[in-house]
Amino acid sequence: MHTIIEQPDVRVTIGAREAERYCATLARHEAKNFYWGFIALPRTQRMAIYALYDFARQVDDEADRPQSERELTRLTRHRERLRDCAAGRYDDPVMRLLGQAIARYQIPVRELEQVIDGVELDLRRNRYQSWAELSHYCGLVASSVGRTCVRIFGFTDARALDFADDLGRAMQLTNILRDLREDYFQFGRIYLPQDELTRFGITEDRLTGSFADAARAPDLGPGWAAFVGFQATRARQLFASGLRVAELIPTSSAACVLTMAGLYRTILAQIECDPALPLTRRVSLSGKTKLSVMVKSWLHAM
């Protein structure tokens, strides 16, 4: 569980250095996996990515508030913040830096608005009937961020944006498998295609019942392992397509992308090897593993 990031109440002129320090500190504290990729970037791009990540986190936090505090009007305020910063008006350090990034890298505001659209879905629904529905959601909350990142990185071929779409979906699907237990107990959400659960003979009652006792090995029968394998194959196919973006962006940016994707592929591999793992706990990586992935990714990018 992460800490809700409240928007700072800043009504005075915000200096560029102060905004950069604020956004860097926030990203370093909150981006447990992504931060390992961020540090590969040149400073100007890194600051833009920090602001993008911090904005996305602030918006995403609206879906993670207690039920009594979840309000669509709060998302309206984020839409206003976004429009204001794109017009050069801001009253907090995240939006100052994000506004600069929008102008410098010609980021379409609509791509950032899609992040808000995705969180609005979180406030309206907690089940997805099919992969088509879930893929649409993943595109809003993850692929839109990926496309924005590619614009910050710079690219040589417009196909890079399509590859970023696939990479975003791959990483979000991995997130979904990793956070199954947490998403259900904390927010009542199950981000799994309902029709595919049915196809593999898994009822929701049996699935959620397996979350009840983390100390006891869950038993959902062979259907669960087959279901996880099916989702992992889908994610790996999306990774294979999405990682082609690394061929179309600068080397330092490719190192960033390969590091972030490498961390998520490592998490996916652990789940694939032990499908019961996300039923009992949230899979995480050690600092040693993250460092190893980062070094391999940097070498591969060179």
Side-chain angles (χ1 to χ4, degrees):
M1 180 179 179
H2 58 245
T3 303
I4 299 292
I5 303 173
E6 298 293 350
Q7 299 167 38
D9 185 14
V10 181
R11 304 297 173 187
V12 297
T13 301
I14 305 162
R17 293 298 184 188
E18 289 81 356
E20 290 177 356
R21 281 196 293 269
Y22 179 90
C23 290
T25 299
L26 197 56
R28 184 166 55 249
H29 182 263
E30 298 293 336
K32 298 296 190 284
N33 286 322
F34 290 147
Y35 190 78
W36 290 78
F38 294 166
I39 58 179
L41 296 170
R43 184 176 181 281
T44 301
Q45 290 182 343
R46 189 168 68 251
M47 292 301 163
I49 293 292
Y50 286 163
L52 172 63
Y53 174 84
D54 293 344
F55 171 73
R57 269 295 317 277
Q58 287 178 333
V59 175
D60 184 62
D61 281 345
E62 302 300 347
D64 293 349
R65 292 180 180 277
Q67 184 68 44
S68 61
E69 296 180 17
R70 297 177 200 165
E71 299 177 2
L72 290 174
T73 54
R74 298 181 69 94
L75 295 183
T76 299
R77 171 56 184 147
H78 285 294
R79 295 185 194 278
E80 292 170 351
R81 293 173 74 216
L82 186 56
R83 287 193 293 267
D84 284 347
C85 89
R89 301 186 300 271
Y90 48 81
D91 60 7
D92 71 72
V94 172
M95 302 318 284
R96 170 173 181 141
L97 234 56
L98 185 60
Q100 290 176 348
I102 289 171
R104 180 188 295 270
Y105 300 106
Q106 298 183 313
I107 298 170
V109 173
R110 179 58 195 147
E111 286 183 355
L112 295 171
E113 287 177 334
Q114 287 177 333
V115 179
I116 304 174
D117 293 343
V119 174
E120 184 171 340
L121 273 181
D122 274 329
L123 298 183
R124 294 184 182 277
R125 64 188 302 179
N126 54 23
R127 300 291 187 276
Y128 290 85
Q129 179 59 32
S130 64
W131 168 243
E133 290 185 359
L134 184 60
S135 177
H136 173 67
Y137 167 78
C138 293
L140 293 175
V141 297
S143 296
S144 56
V145 175
R147 292 172 73 89
T148 304
C149 287
V150 166
R151 295 186 190 281
I152 293 172
F153 296 154
F155 54 93
T156 58
D157 188 318
R159 292 178 303 161
L161 297 171
D162 295 327
F163 295 149
D165 284 346
D166 284 346
L167 188 56
R169 285 182 170 88
M171 296 174 74
Q172 187 64 25
L173 181 54
T174 301
N175 261 339
I176 287 168
L177 292 172
R178 179 192 63 183
D179 296 343
L180 280 177
R181 199 169 187 276
E182 180 180 16
D183 284 336
Y184 177 71
F185 275 124
Q186 292 189 14
F187 312 116
R189 301 178 187 128
I190 297 179
Y191 295 102
L192 296 173
Q194 298 291 297
D195 59 350
E196 292 175 1
L197 286 171
T198 300
R199 188 194 316 167
F200 285 91
I202 303 164
T203 65
E204 183 169 316
D205 285 346
R206 193 171 181 187
L207 175 62
T208 58
S210 73
F211 297 152
D213 185 358
R216 184 183 62 196
D219 180 17
L220 287 175
W224 178 250
F227 174 83
V228 171
F230 182 79
Q231 302 302 328
T233 297
R234 171 180 281 154
R236 281 191 282 104
Q237 290 171 343
L238 288 167
F239 272 121
S241 173
L243 281 170
R244 295 172 64 189
V245 73
E247 303 166 9
L248 304 176
I249 57 180
T251 298
S252 59
S253 301
C256 172
V257 169
L258 291 172
T259 298
M260 293 189 293
L263 294 171
Y264 275 78
R265 291 173 80 187
T266 302
I267 290 171
L268 181 66
Q270 289 189 12
I271 293 172
E272 196 170 11
C273 287
D274 185 0
L277 205 55
L279 300 176
T280 59
R281 65 179 177 86
R282 187 177 191 269
V283 180
S284 61
L285 303 178
S286 67
K288 182 178 179 180
T289 298
K290 292 178 182 179
L291 180 60
S292 175
V293 169
M294 183 181 73
V295 171
K296 290 177 182 177
S297 299
W298 286 26
L299 291 175
H300 182 71
M302 299 305 165

